[in-house]
Amino acid sequence: MNLVVRNGRVIDPANGLDAPGDVLILDGLVSRVGPKLQAPAATPTVDAGGRVVTPGLIDIHVHLREPGHEYKETIASGTRAAAAGGFTAVACMANTSPVNDTRAVTDYILAQARAGGLVRVYPIGAVTRGLKGTELAELGELAEAGCVAYSDDGRPVMNSALLRRALEYAQTFGKPIISHAEDATLAEGGVMHEGSISTDLGLRGIPAAAEEILVARDIALAELTGHRVHIAHVSTTAAVRLLRDAKARGVPVTGEVTPHHLLLTDEAMRSYDANAKMAPALRPKRDVEACREALADGTLDAIATDHAPHALTDKEVELDQAANGVIGLETAAALCLTHLVREGVLDLPTLITRLTVGPARVLDLPGGSLTPGAPGDVTILDLERAHTIDPARFYSRSRNTPFGGRACVGAPWMTVVGGRIVMREGTLA
Amino acid sequence: MLPREKAQVLDDQGIDRALTRIAHEILERAGGADALALVGIRTRGVSLARRIAERLQAIEGVKIPVGVLDITLYRDDLGLKAEMPVLRGTDIPFPVAGKTVVLVDDVLYTGRTIRAALDAIIDLGRPRLIQLAVLIDRGHRELPIRPDYVGKNLPTARREIVQVLLREHDGQDRVVIQEPEG
Amino acid sequence: MGLKRKDLLEIRTLEPAEIVTILDTAASMKEIASREIKKVPALRGKTVVNLFLEPSTRTRTSFEIAGKWLSADVVNVSGSSSSVVKGETLMDTAKNLEAMSPDCVVIRHSASGAPHMLARALRCSIINAGDGMHEHPTQALLDLLTIREKRGHLDGLSVAIVGDIRHSRVARSNIWGMRKTGMSVTVAGPPTLIPPGIEELGVKVTYRLEDAIRDVDIVMMLRLQQERMTGGYIPSLREYARLWGLSLDKLRAARDDVLIMHPGPVNRGIELSPEVADGPYSVILDQVANGVAVRMALLYLLVGRGGEAGEPGGVPA
């Protein structure tokens, strides 16, 4: 597909570009970027009107729930939500039902994505069979089927010896392992961060040490094996400190953070609202500050939403029964523009980096830049658009967000995948 | 809309004389102080009951028991209120069964307070006789209640307010009629 | 001046003046217990549902008596806290109840925050009879009433709360209530049973019983919550009883006029020796009696009233 986007402010951090210009996509690939480009006759044109034009945003931590939990989300509805949120590619986690630990499931996911997915879908395979943490899954077969990484996310791999073997074995296929770094024995029964608020509310808490312990272990194993570990949803000061130190020493480790861990604290649990229940838990202010700093200085390579759809029945129950997690695809861009860029936590090019080339490099994905030959994926952001987050209008099947009603300034304006417009002004094409 | 005083109906001597007369009437009708008990209805009924008891003791030389009754829990308008009225508590430290109980209140108006007081007393036991003594009867009954002893009959308009001031509560002894301003 | 609120979910958000109103009202209610006919018509025609989804005989009975003495119609619904076991979520249970138009739901549940969920969903008044590890407001109120009766005042008194603070809703509610009425509080117990950040509630922390009970006006011993304890908080009951149980012997360190309190039921021989539980310093039975009065007061203040309309101020005579 061909498309030319004109009159944008093109920000392509991978190529160090932040300048007015056009982007030309031919046959679904980026052809050229520059001012006043020539395009073949009859190329569909988009006038960006001065808006910010970036490589298509990539979310490397998404739960699409299909196969098995289609009542919460499907590949079709999840990719629609992604497109609405300005994302052109998502990597989906393996904790489906059945678990994505064999090529049969990977094939299914890819087939569903081809049939009804609106954006690119990169499956992540399980590290262990059934996510049980006892035996390795067939990592080779999963890689052949198209998995871009391995993760038991939803759970940690508690057995250090097993994780070591997994890291060693995975070197054959060159795919990183994504770690849900939370010590299950310390986290057991916990519903929020352990601290003065959990004491006040009479809720079982999970100490920050639960994350610190596994991050330290994962870094040590990355160092021992030389194989890349990516720490999912970092939330604590300690984890950030360990990551910074490990990177400085050259250990092959990367990290990501979610928008909700950058914007909310454990105070959000005061209303006993299950939409504030996540894993890892929302932390106190000082941890949020540490994550923000780490995102700014690159210790954290990517923003990833950990989009976790849940139905009302999963959330509207007693807190210890409520499912963990919130959706994020349709709110991430708007929230980051409003609360990170506008409030001066990150400059715009850095935010774009963390949403494009940052995640692409973590998982070695094509895209994340506008280098000629890259996939023709583009996101156009409107920095001025004022709106209120309205979950009733989400494309996702689920509505479990803590951000309903929040006023934002800035939103995705257009999403282009392979030269094809999939979202225009908030509406799916 | 603060009320303003329209007229004074009784001064301190007037109150004194009324209470003295009521004490004599009680003794006359009861045929003596035997099995007699006074129950004052909170708040000012209590002070009046105590003053009547003092007079009864002065006349007959016998100490008459005085109880304190809070009728709040028996009011017929509780379910209409946005906020519950404050409870001050009932304290009747003697059995009412078989006694002649004289209820004492400052102003008799619609009769609803007395109805509540009757229910409250009967929940405590079965008196032989219940009588009612009031300092002022201002008319406008909404229930078939009548007093046995009255200090002063006072015809009033509904919008008027009858205020009994007693030194134990208000630092002075007077009864006044007030008109709401405006 | 009544309570200007629909529900009583926690002591944490009560004003000190509201606590005084409740205690004063409860004190006035006590006399009803000594009557021959223990009934007043204040809540006639009102329906109170006791939704006890966690085992409890004494609190439920206390609320039941309180409601009945006020002439309310009391309905007891008991069962399991677990939605899975019941096959019905708490929200479903609540909606079903609402269809029966109760005036008040008294709820005890094993999940902290369950009463808050109900209060958002139901129009009627909700009274928290104990939610998980969070609060047990009526217990704290009856404890305060008992202390006030015995000592004549609350302000300036000192209290030691000893035991499994971590899992105790009684401790949390009492800490809030005592701090709001000007009392000073020390909590004591093994470090594993003291929750993180408890100092931020304005209490002192010590790990030794002897240090806690010296010089305080009141010692409140907590039940060792065996049912809540999994996971190695203490090595054995024996060791706990030896180090943190209150025996006559250890009581010598306390003041001569100390009051010993316990929310009940007492694990005799563990947190309290029988001699102390039944001894002259113990006011445990007074606490129970005051429980009914406090619950009557709350039912009266929250449930007795009608809608926004109504006569402002006094009743016509």
Side-chain angles (χ1 to χ4, degrees):
Chain A
M1 285 225 55
N2 297 351
L3 184 74
V4 61
V5 176
R6 297 201 182 281
N7 293 325
R9 173 185 164 194
V10 182
I11 301 183
D12 179 14
N15 291 304
L17 182 65
D18 180 354
D22 304 342
V23 176
L24 175 63
I25 298 169
L26 294 177
D27 296 322
L29 299 176
V30 173
S31 172
R32 288 190 67 201
V33 175
K36 304 215 185 324
L37 296 178
Q38 292 263 47
T43 305
T45 306
V46 168
D47 181 355
R51 295 183 185 82
V52 170
V53 177
T54 73
L57 307 183
I58 300 175
D59 188 348
I60 55 172
H61 191 147
V62 168
H63 295 270
L64 292 180
R65 303 296 187 211
E66 188 177 3
H69 300 292
E70 289 84 354
Y71 73 99
K72 303 188 195 203
E73 193 82 281
T74 61
I75 290 168
S77 67
T79 54
R80 288 159 70 80
F87 289 95
T88 57
V90 297
C92 60
M93 286 295 177
N95 61 339
T96 47
S97 176
V99 168
N100 184 12
D101 61 2
T102 62
R103 93 165 286 155
V105 180
T106 312
D107 286 343
Y108 176 78
I109 291 172
L110 287 171
Q112 290 296 89
R114 271 191 303 273
L118 211 51
V119 307
R120 297 178 204 275
V121 174
Y122 298 109
I124 296 169
V127 176
T128 66
R129 272 189 224 273
L131 303 182
K132 291 201 167 73
T134 49
E135 293 176 306
L136 286 186
E138 289 181 326
L139 305 186
E141 183 182 86
L142 289 171
E144 277 166 40
C147 288
V148 300
Y150 310 104
S151 180
D152 274 8
D153 181 70
R155 300 192 202 163
V157 177
M158 280 304 289
N159 187 323
S160 304
L162 185 65
L163 182 61
R164 180 213 182 148
R165 296 287 168 241
L167 284 165
E168 287 172 341
Y169 188 63
Q171 286 188 313
T172 320
F173 318 107
K175 312 289 179 197
I177 290 189
I178 304 175
S179 172
H180 173 114
E182 186 178 49
D183 184 313
T185 62
L186 282 174
E188 198 182 334
V191 302
M192 67 174 290
H193 173 79
E194 184 184 273
S196 59
I197 297 184
S198 69
T199 290
D200 204 352
L201 298 178
L203 292 172
R204 252 183 237 284
I206 302 170
E211 180 168 292
E212 184 177 358
I213 288 171
L214 275 218
V215 170
R217 179 204 67 169
D218 293 344
I219 288 173
L221 289 179
E223 196 166 4
L224 176 62
T225 61
H227 189 68
R228 193 140 50 82
V229 170
H230 174 72
I231 310 288
H233 43 53
V234 170
S235 70
T236 59
T237 312
V240 156
R241 190 184 66 228
L242 288 165
L243 269 175
R244 199 175 272 129
D245 168 74
K247 283 184 165 190
R249 292 183 295 114
V251 177
V253 67
T254 53
E256 73 188 29
V257 64
T258 69
H260 47 269
H261 286 105
L262 295 168
L263 299 178
L264 299 175
T265 66
D266 54 350
E267 290 277 349
M269 281 300 262
R270 279 205 182 277
S271 54
Y272 292 99
D273 184 1
N275 279 334
K277 188 183 179 198
M278 1 255 184
L282 294 174
R283 304 288 180 192
K285 198 152 191 264
R286 61 178 180 277
D287 296 281
V288 172
E289 306 278 341
C291 289
R292 287 178 167 203
E293 272 168 31
L295 190 65
D297 74 18
T299 302
L300 293 171
D301 305 78
I303 293 173
T305 64
D306 192 3
H307 177 87
H310 288 295
L312 266 187
T313 48
D314 304 307
K315 284 289 200 180
E316 237 182 34
V317 291
E318 297 84 305
L319 267 179
D320 46 5
Q321 318 264 352
N324 280 317
V326 293
I327 47 176
L329 283 169
E330 293 175 83
T331 51
L335 289 170
C336 291
L337 287 172
T338 306
H339 292 291
L340 298 178
V341 176
R342 270 184 181 257
E343 288 175 21
V345 176
L346 293 183
D347 60 30
L348 187 57
T350 307
L351 176 69
I352 304 301
T353 307
R354 306 285 179 255
L355 287 169
T356 55
V357 60
R361 285 202 184 128
V362 166
L363 294 189
D364 286 323
L365 299 177
S369 79
L370 296 175
T371 309
D377 299 347
V378 160
T379 301
I380 305 180
L381 300 168
D382 183 339
L383 298 185
E384 306 302 322
R385 184 158 157 257
H387 64 286
T388 307
I389 293 180
D390 181 8
R393 306 187 60 208
F394 283 172
Y395 287 94
S396 166
R397 275 207 175 167
S398 294
R399 297 282 172 273
N400 55 315
T401 175
F403 296 113
R406 199 179 264 236
C408 292
V409 180
W413 186 74
M414 182 173 286
T415 310
V416 175
V417 178
R420 192 169 136 251
I421 299 173
V422 296
M423 182 277 281
R424 186 199 294 270
E425 286 176 78
T427 318
L428 296 188
Chain B
M1 201 176 66
L2 284 175
R4 63 168 182 89
E5 190 172 311
K6 191 172 159 196
Q8 177 170 292
V9 163
L10 282 179
D11 62 8
D12 56 342
Q13 288 181 324
I15 291 176
D16 265 350
R17 283 187 213 115
L19 293 179
T20 304
R21 174 175 49 79
I22 288 175
H24 280 285
E25 283 177 359
I26 290 174
L27 284 172
E28 193 178 40
R29 293 243 244 134
D34 235 30
L36 193 57
L38 299 179
V39 172
I41 297 174
R42 282 198 191 268
T43 312
R44 288 177 178 74
V46 177
S47 311
L48 293 174
R50 290 195 176 121
R51 293 198 203 181
I52 294 174
E54 276 165 26
R55 284 161 173 74
L56 290 173
Q57 181 163 355
I59 300 166
E60 288 283 293
V62 174
K63 200 163 161 63
I64 307 292
V66 178
V68 172
L69 183 62
D70 181 340
I71 56 108
T72 310
L73 293 172
Y74 290 83
R75 288 168 60 150
D76 64 3
D77 63 344
L78 283 182
L80 300 173
K81 299 194 136 329
E83 232 179 82
M84 296 307 273
V86 180
L87 283 190
R88 291 189 216 288
T90 289
D91 182 14
I92 299 183
F94 49 85
V96 300
K99 286 226 184 345
T100 296
V101 171
V102 180
L103 291 171
V104 182
D105 206 1
D106 55 344
V107 179
L108 175 59
Y109 183 26
T110 62
R112 293 183 188 275
T113 299
I114 305 305
R115 194 281 316 159
L118 287 172
D119 280 349
I121 293 287
I122 287 169
D123 265 0
L124 296 174
R126 190 175 190 276
R128 183 177 78 84
L129 192 58
I130 301 179
Q131 295 180 326
L132 175 62
V134 296
L135 186 61
I136 304 288
D137 178 351
R138 64 171 291 194
H140 300 290
R141 217 76 78 227
E142 290 172 6
L143 297 174
I145 302 274
R146 55 127 190 86
D148 296 278
Y149 313 99
V150 183
K152 187 175 179 67
N153 279 297
L154 187 63
T156 56
R158 292 205 75 115
R159 73 174 184 285
E160 287 170 333
I161 298 164
V162 175
Q163 190 71 18
V164 171
L165 302 158
L166 297 179
R167 61 172 185 274
E168 295 94 325
H169 300 277
D170 317 290
Q172 48 178 327
D173 273 3
R174 333 169 30 220
V175 179
V176 298
I177 296 182
Q178 293 167 332
E179 185 92 44
E181 205 73 82
Chain C
M1 189 230 357
L3 291 185
K4 288 180 174 61
R5 49 176 68 236
K6 172 171 96 76
D7 314 296
L8 182 70
L9 303 178
E10 50 191 29
I11 305 283
R12 191 177 75 91
T13 46
L14 280 185
E15 299 287 334
E18 290 178 293
I19 295 179
V20 173
T21 298
I22 295 167
L23 297 184
D24 287 344
T25 307
S28 302
M29 294 283 190
K30 284 194 77 162
E31 151 280 312
I32 297 169
S34 54
R35 298 185 185 188
E36 234 186 75
I37 298 180
K38 299 179 197 9
K39 228 180 220 332
V40 293
L43 294 191
R44 206 170 71 94
K46 301 284 186 178
T47 301
V48 175
V49 174
N50 278 339
L51 185 61
F52 275 64
L53 300 179
E54 206 189 44
S56 155
T57 317
R58 51 178 64 201
T59 306
R60 203 197 69 217
T61 312
S62 186
F63 268 106
E64 191 177 341
I65 291 178
K68 287 182 170 166
W69 284 0
L70 290 170
S71 300
D73 293 317
V74 180
V75 178
N76 288 322
V77 176
S78 56
S80 163
S81 280
S82 164
S83 306
V84 175
V85 169
K86 282 169 18 210
E88 183 182 63
T89 64
L90 179 61
M91 285 304 291
D92 284 333
T93 307
K95 296 277 176 190
N96 281 319
L97 280 182
E98 179 153 63
M100 301 192 286
S101 302
D103 298 282
C104 176
V105 175
V106 177
I107 173 170
R108 169 171 282 203
H109 198 285
S110 60
S112 306
H116 300 65
M117 211 175 159
L118 280 196
R120 280 193 288 265
L122 298 183
R123 276 183 301 255
C124 62
S125 292
I126 307 294
I127 297 181
N128 181 4
D131 65 326
M133 306 190 301
H134 177 229
E135 286 226 28
H136 191 354
T138 57
Q139 179 68 44
L141 290 166
L142 72 88
D143 289 337
L144 290 176
L145 183 64
T146 308
I147 296 170
R148 196 175 80 162
E149 258 171 23
K150 297 291 176 188
R151 283 302 164 92
H153 68 105
L154 292 171
D155 193 71
L157 295 178
S158 56
V159 182
I161 305 180
V162 182
D164 180 1
I165 312 287
R166 182 175 211 114
H167 299 101
S168 172
R169 53 193 178 212
V170 170
R172 282 172 179 76
S173 286
N174 266 301
I175 289 171
W176 285 115
M178 289 166 176
R179 299 290 300 128
K180 284 173 192 279
T181 49
M183 299 170 72
S184 72
V185 181
T186 303
V187 300
T192 47
L193 292 179
I194 308 272
I198 192 83
E199 299 87 345
E200 290 182 38
L201 269 51
V203 307
K204 293 191 281 278
V205 178
T206 174
Y207 302 135
R208 301 193 64 234
L209 175 72
E210 294 75 6
D211 293 336
I213 67 174
R214 192 176 300 133
D215 269 346
V216 290
D217 297 286
I218 296 125
V219 175
M220 181 178 290
M221 303 300 293
L222 297 177
R223 198 175 123 77
L224 190 64
Q225 315 259 7
Q226 279 148 307
E227 64 265 22
R228 295 205 204 287
M229 271 180 35
T230 47
Y233 292 97
I234 54 171
S236 64
L237 291 183
R238 200 174 77 100
E239 177 139 298
Y240 179 87
R242 213 166 51 77
L243 297 175
W244 288 282
L246 191 56
S247 57
L248 264 189
D249 196 79
K250 297 211 204 115
L251 199 50
R252 278 190 239 291
R255 285 175 21 190
D256 289 332
D257 59 349
V258 74
L259 296 179
I260 306 295
M261 301 178 73
H262 189 295
V266 177
N267 284 326
R268 282 156 188 283
I270 299 186
E271 63 260 6
L272 277 183
S273 70
E275 299 83 24
V276 176
D278 302 326
Y281 306 98
S282 158
V283 296
I284 295 174
L285 291 177
D286 297 279
Q287 288 173 270
V288 178
N290 285 333
V292 177
V294 159
R295 288 157 183 142
M296 286 177 75
L298 282 171
L299 287 172
Y300 168 74
L301 290 166
L302 293 177
V303 183
R305 63 195 173 178
E308 311 318 354
E311 294 147 314
V315 67

